[in-house]
Amino acid sequence: MEVIINPTPEAASQLAARKIAALVRANPGSVLGLATGGSPVAVYRELIRMHQQEGLDFSRVTTFNLDEYLGLGPAHPASYFNFMWTNLFQHINVRPERVHLPDGLAENVPASCLAYENAIREAGGIDLQLLGIGSDGHIAFNEPASSLSSRTRIKTLTERTRSDNASFFGEGEEVPHHVITMGVGTIMEAREVVLLGFGKGKADAMAAAIEGPVTQMVPASALQFHERACFLLDEASSSKLQRGEYYRHVFANKPAWQRV
Ligand code: GLP
């Protein structure tokens, strides 16, 4: 597990964007796992800049998003479908038929979840999965007490997550109770994982995920078992880590060939 404490969220986002760009340049047919929420927005902004100014080509890239609200269609302003098109897809040359999100309007939810898992498998699996982290340690919408082997399925949100995400909804509008989310087991199969978490509201979750015991009570802690997981923090989100100095020392002394 790599833990990188960045001076600012912007610096962390640049690093994440450079990792994604390096992957896409090396393998133009990469399969990217993408996330929503506030944390990845600056990463997407930088990828858009790289596309527009440096010709970063997404025409052969396939994407799979982590999750979607049940009951929200693509046209709903708070749907993750809309979030992704607004914040990334409409600004780059990704092919719409290569973009995948769970279907928030699925009539047969279990069948739709199974189809999503199959589509990931048929695409050859996810090369790099971008993740945020909930203030309670959730990844995607895998709330505490999610099975660490779980697959794409329906989940019920906690009130804390509903209130954390309320700012993405209009005033007086209900945050849905149900979602479709990739499971922890699905995420663990990505070949590389990059998790972003910034601000002091994420400090407890980051400390628990990185240095606490592996437990379903902190779904992000499962990443301790991932072969290639990178946690990108800022000063504030790293404030509760016990070994912060060591992580800084490791990063400052990285061999040149390991730098992105
Ligand atoms: C939601 C999303 C997660 C995201 C989390 C944190 O719960 N489903 O994928 O990581 O919010 O979001 P933010 O980055 O806005 O703090």
Side-chain angles (χ1 to χ4, degrees), residues 227-241:
E227 214 182 333
R228 284 185 77 193
C230 177
F231 282 72
L232 296 176
L233 303 91
D234 66 348
E235 293 290 343
S237 66
S238 72
S239 59
K240 303 229 168 133
L241 293 174

Side-chain angles (χ1 to χ4, degrees), residues 35-40 66-67 69 80 131-135 138-141 161 165 168 196 202:
T36 51
S39 310
L66 289 167
D67 42 19
Y69 291 104
Y80 283 166
L131 290 175
I133 186 168
S135 59
H138 73 248
I139 46 176
F141 270 135
T161 298
N165 288 332
F168 292 98
L196 312 164
K202 300 291 170 74

Side-chain angles (χ1 to χ4, degrees), residues 99-120:
V99 164
H100 305 83
L101 283 100
D103 180 4
L105 298 179
E107 278 177 19
N108 183 338
V109 172
S112 178
C113 293
L114 191 61
Y116 202 66
E117 288 277 334
N118 288 338
I120 294 173

Side-chain angles (χ1 to χ4, degrees), residues 39-196:
S39 310
V41 170
V43 178
Y44 297 151
R45 209 179 299 131
E46 177 62 6
L47 289 175
I48 294 166
R49 190 199 63 76
M50 288 168 157
H51 168 67
Q52 292 173 346
Q53 294 178 11
E54 297 168 12
L56 185 62
D57 180 16
F58 291 90
S59 62
R60 289 171 55 203
V61 165
T62 299
T63 70
F64 287 92
N65 261 79
L66 289 167
D67 42 19
E68 181 59 284
Y69 291 104
L70 258 179
L72 302 196
H76 193 288
S79 72
Y80 283 166
F81 182 100
N82 183 58
F83 177 100
M84 289 308 300
W85 279 94
T86 305
N87 286 287
L88 180 65
F89 297 148
Q90 73 181 25
H91 308 286
I92 59 175
N93 64 336
V94 70
R95 304 259 288 263
E97 65 274 21
R98 290 187 188 272
V99 164
H100 305 83
L101 283 100
D103 180 4
L105 298 179
E107 278 177 19
N108 183 338
V109 172
S112 178
C113 293
L114 191 61
Y116 202 66
E117 288 277 334
N118 288 338
I120 294 173
R121 204 166 302 120
E122 277 159 26
I126 292 169
D127 292 306
L128 184 150
Q129 177 67 57
L130 195 61
L131 290 175
I133 186 168
S135 59
D136 57 4
H138 73 248
I139 46 176
F141 270 135
N142 294 284
E143 297 283 28
S146 289
S147 160
L148 300 186
S149 302
S150 50
R151 313 301 308 192
T152 303
R153 69 211 183 291
I154 185 172
K155 283 294 286 183
T156 305
L157 298 182
T158 63
E159 286 309 301
R160 181 172 174 179
T161 298
R162 290 184 67 237
S163 113
D164 281 353
N165 288 332
S167 62
F168 292 98
F169 287 77
E171 207 167 294
E173 206 178 353
E174 273 266 287
V175 180
H177 288 271
H178 291 110
V179 295
I180 293 181
T181 180
M182 278 189 205
V184 180
T186 321
I187 293 166
M188 289 293 286
E189 281 175 11
R191 287 183 266 279
E192 184 177 359
V193 172
V194 176
L195 184 148
L196 312 164

